[in-house]
Amino acid sequence: MIYLTTDQFDQAVYFELRRTEHPRRSGGAMHVLHGFLGNGVSEMPVTIRSWQDWTDVDFGKGDLLSFVDERTVRRMLGQVAREMELH
Protein backbone atom coordinates (compact mmCIF):
# COMPACT_ATOMS: atom_id res chain seq x y z
CA MET A 1 0.00 0.00 0.00
CA ILE A 2 1.34 3.41 -0.97
CA TYR A 3 0.17 6.80 0.27
CA LEU A 4 -0.27 9.49 -2.40
CA THR A 5 -1.62 12.66 -0.83
CA THR A 6 -4.27 13.90 1.59
CA ASP A 7 -7.89 14.71 0.83
CA GLN A 8 -9.79 17.87 1.77
CA PHE A 9 -10.38 16.47 5.29
CA ASP A 10 -6.63 15.81 5.74
CA GLN A 11 -7.12 12.03 5.50
CA ALA A 12 -4.44 10.05 3.71
CA VAL A 13 -5.29 8.92 0.17
CA TYR A 14 -3.71 5.54 -0.56
CA PHE A 15 -3.69 2.93 -3.28
CA GLU A 16 -2.71 -0.64 -3.84
CA LEU A 17 -2.03 -2.00 -7.31
CA ARG A 18 -1.24 -5.34 -8.91
CA ARG A 19 0.72 -5.36 -12.16
CA THR A 20 0.05 -7.55 -15.15
CA GLU A 21 1.98 -7.46 -18.40
CA HIS A 22 0.02 -8.01 -21.56
CA PRO A 23 1.41 -9.53 -24.73
CA ARG A 24 4.02 -7.48 -26.53
CA ARG A 25 2.92 -4.98 -29.09
CA SER A 26 5.18 -3.33 -31.59
CA GLY A 27 7.44 -1.09 -29.55
CA GLY A 28 7.09 -2.86 -26.21
CA ALA A 29 4.69 -4.44 -23.76
CA MET A 30 1.50 -2.84 -22.50
CA HIS A 31 1.38 -2.77 -18.72
CA VAL A 32 -1.94 -2.95 -16.90
CA LEU A 33 -2.28 -2.20 -13.20
CA HIS A 34 -5.45 -3.12 -11.29
CA GLY A 35 -6.24 -2.15 -7.74
CA PHE A 36 -8.05 0.31 -5.53
CA LEU A 37 -7.74 3.88 -4.35
CA GLY A 38 -9.11 4.98 -0.99
CA ASN A 39 -9.01 7.30 1.99
CA GLY A 40 -10.25 5.07 4.81
CA VAL A 41 -13.87 6.15 4.33
CA SER A 42 -14.36 5.53 0.62
CA GLU A 43 -12.61 3.18 -1.78
CA MET A 44 -12.91 2.80 -5.52
CA PRO A 45 -11.38 0.48 -8.11
CA VAL A 46 -8.73 1.87 -10.43
CA THR A 47 -7.16 0.51 -13.63
CA ILE A 48 -4.05 2.01 -15.20
CA ARG A 49 -2.96 1.09 -18.72
CA SER A 50 0.49 2.15 -19.80
CA TRP A 51 2.33 1.69 -23.09
CA GLN A 52 5.40 3.66 -24.17
CA ASP A 53 4.59 7.36 -23.51
CA TRP A 54 0.83 6.81 -23.13
CA THR A 55 -0.92 6.34 -19.76
CA ASP A 56 -4.66 5.93 -19.16
CA VAL A 57 -6.19 5.98 -15.66
CA ASP A 58 -9.77 4.66 -15.29
CA PHE A 59 -11.66 5.02 -12.03
CA GLY A 60 -14.58 2.85 -11.01
CA LYS A 61 -17.59 4.09 -9.09
CA GLY A 62 -17.04 5.71 -5.73
CA ASP A 63 -17.29 8.95 -3.77
CA LEU A 64 -13.56 9.43 -3.28
CA LEU A 65 -13.17 11.96 -6.09
CA SER A 66 -15.50 14.34 -4.26
CA PHE A 67 -12.86 14.51 -1.47
CA VAL A 68 -9.67 14.83 -3.56
CA ASP A 69 -8.71 16.58 -6.81
CA GLU A 70 -9.03 14.08 -9.67
CA ARG A 71 -6.31 15.70 -11.81
CA THR A 72 -3.81 15.45 -8.95
CA VAL A 73 -4.59 11.77 -8.36
CA ARG A 74 -4.39 10.98 -12.10
CA ARG A 75 -1.00 12.68 -12.34
CA MET A 76 0.37 10.86 -9.29
CA LEU A 77 -0.92 7.46 -10.42
CA GLY A 78 0.60 8.05 -13.87
CA GLN A 79 3.98 8.71 -12.25
CA VAL A 80 3.70 5.54 -10.17
CA ALA A 81 2.79 3.51 -13.27
CA ARG A 82 5.87 4.80 -15.12
CA GLU A 83 8.08 3.93 -12.14
CA MET A 84 6.57 0.43 -11.91
CA GLU A 85 7.35 -0.16 -15.60
CA LEU A 86 11.03 0.40 -14.90
CA HIS A 87 11.18 -2.29 -12.19
Side-chain angles (χ1 to χ4, degrees):
M1 188 170 306
I2 298 173
Y3 293 91
L4 287 176
T5 186
T6 55
D7 65 11
Q8 66 185 16
F9 299 112
D10 206 30
Q11 295 174 316
V13 175
Y14 57 88
F15 73 96
E16 187 168 324
L17 297 172
R18 298 177 313 279
R19 179 171 71 175
T20 58
E21 190 170 310
H22 284 255
R24 290 197 163 277
R25 299 170 74 180
S26 61
M30 176 182 277
H31 299 273
V32 179
L33 306 163
H34 297 282
F36 64 88
L37 181 69
N39 67 351
V41 176
S42 178
E43 286 186 352
M44 60 193 300
V46 63
T47 301
I48 304 170
R49 291 176 189 83
S50 173
W51 182 66
Q52 292 182 339
D53 292 335
W54 171 81
T55 303
D56 179 44
V57 179
D58 294 324
F59 297 110
K61 293 186 180 201
D63 295 331
L64 181 65
L65 295 179
S66 61
F67 301 112
V68 67
D69 182 46
E70 181 177 346
R71 290 176 296 172
T72 302
V73 172
R74 283 185 184 277
R75 180 180 48 80
M76 291 177 163
L77 287 173
Q79 289 173 346
V80 169
R82 284 187 292 279
E83 289 176 13
M84 290 180 77
E85 284 179 26
L86 299 175
H87 299 294

